[in-house]
Amino acid sequence: MAIELNQPALRHARALIRDGKVVRDERDDWSEAAPTADEENSFIEREGWTEYSHWHLGVDRRENEETKQAYSFPFGDFTRVHRSGVISAESRAGQYDHYEIRDALRTLLDLIDKDDKD
């Protein structure tokens, strides 16, 4: 399968969650919380493609790594992980049979929700 789990992004997401950089919003909030194309472009210009890739759990190695098409399954707003983004990405990953990515997102959601109960 062309889209693979982006391990550096998974490590980045876990670290953000451990550091409490999480928005505990609901699934439907992602449409408002997701970065706009202009926000993505500004982030890429400021931080570069590698940092941009760290906010996406999917990577397509067939695509040019300096294009947005190479990255999928975003989970945050470039400062915090959004619970709504994790839920949305988990659903899409399962829908398109990206089970490794789906399972990684489920693990992130468990971390977020566990942290909320502690």
Side-chain angles (χ1 to χ4, degrees):
M1 195 163 291
I3 298 176
E4 304 170 5
L5 177 62
N6 185 353
Q7 292 289 344
L10 180 58
R11 288 190 295 274
H12 178 66
R14 285 182 181 142
L16 289 166
I17 293 167
R18 274 194 310 271
D19 292 344
K21 295 181 179 175
V22 177
V23 177
R24 289 177 173 81
D25 51 3
E26 297 300 320
R27 178 190 185 122
D28 294 339
D29 295 334
W30 183 237
S31 59
E32 294 295 318
T36 66
D38 287 342
E39 290 168 336
E40 289 178 332
N41 293 339
S42 294
F43 183 83
I44 293 164
E45 189 174 309
R46 193 174 59 252
E47 304 294 334
W49 286 101
T50 299
E51 290 302 314
Y52 179 78
S53 74
H54 290 169
W55 289 92
H56 298 81
L57 278 192
V59 61
D60 187 340
R61 306 245 182 248
R62 296 173 307 175
E63 297 289 340
N64 180 330
E65 66 184 22
E66 292 191 359
T67 64
K68 291 181 185 179
Q69 291 80 8
Y71 307 104
S72 55
F73 305 107
F75 56 82
D77 63 7
F78 303 127
T79 58
R80 298 171 296 176
V81 174
H82 280 255
R83 185 176 184 275
S84 62
V86 172
I87 293 169
S88 178
E90 178 191 359
S91 176
R92 283 188 302 110
Q95 181 180 5
Y96 292 102
D97 300 332
H98 300 296
Y99 300 120
E100 186 179 22
I101 296 169
R102 179 205 61 198
D103 294 347
L105 286 154
R106 186 172 296 147
T107 300
L108 292 177
L109 184 59
D110 290 345
L111 284 174
I112 292 167
D113 290 346
K114 176 190 175 293
D115 208 32
D116 203 23
K117 293 175 185 170
D118 289 345

